[in-house]
Amino acid sequence: DGRFPLDYEEIVRASKETGTIIELNNSSLHPESFRDNAFENDRILLKLCMKHDVPVVVDSDAHVDIDVGNHIYAQKILEEVGFPEELILNDRPELIKKRILEKRAGL
């Protein structure tokens, strides 16, 4: 959300260091979303995730039932920046579980 300036480089570095998975939220990218500059900010964030080899999970964050599983806006931006599939964890639950368990264990 552009209303709250952040140091995206620092966020991505910290995510890599701590094993935190970054979420790409489809709802935030909806044209009617109240978030400022979501597309521009997510482009920056995704490019930094590629640079630092930090994975993401894509989430519909549906606020209505017809949007459950809808990733149309997230897919558009992923394609636009050429985000590699190997850094998207949605279809690899074992990697998500591993990261969560490592984080809980303090690894």
Side-chain angles (χ1 to χ4, degrees), residues 5-22:
L6 300 170
D7 183 340
Y8 295 116
E9 183 90 34
E10 185 60 32
I11 289 169
V12 172
R13 283 186 190 151
S15 296
K16 182 163 184 94
E17 183 179 309
T18 62
T20 302
I21 300 168
I22 291 182

Side-chain angles (χ1 to χ4, degrees), residues 48-103:
L48 288 167
C49 286
M50 290 188 296
K51 175 182 172 184
H52 293 287
D53 200 34
V54 172
V56 302
V57 66
V58 181
D59 179 14
S60 62
D61 191 33
H63 292 225
V64 294
D65 60 350
I66 60 171
D67 277 335
V68 172
N70 178 4
H71 300 136
I72 191 166
Y73 306 112
Q75 186 64 39
K76 178 182 175 185
I77 197 168
L78 289 166
E79 290 172 3
E80 192 176 292
V81 300
F83 200 80
E85 284 188 35
E86 60 269 11
L87 287 179
I88 302 172
L89 297 181
N90 288 58
D91 63 346
R92 291 179 278 162
E94 70 283 354
L95 291 179
I96 295 172
K97 183 178 178 180
K98 180 179 182 245
R99 283 185 172 265
I100 292 169
L101 293 174
E102 286 173 351
K103 193 157 180 70

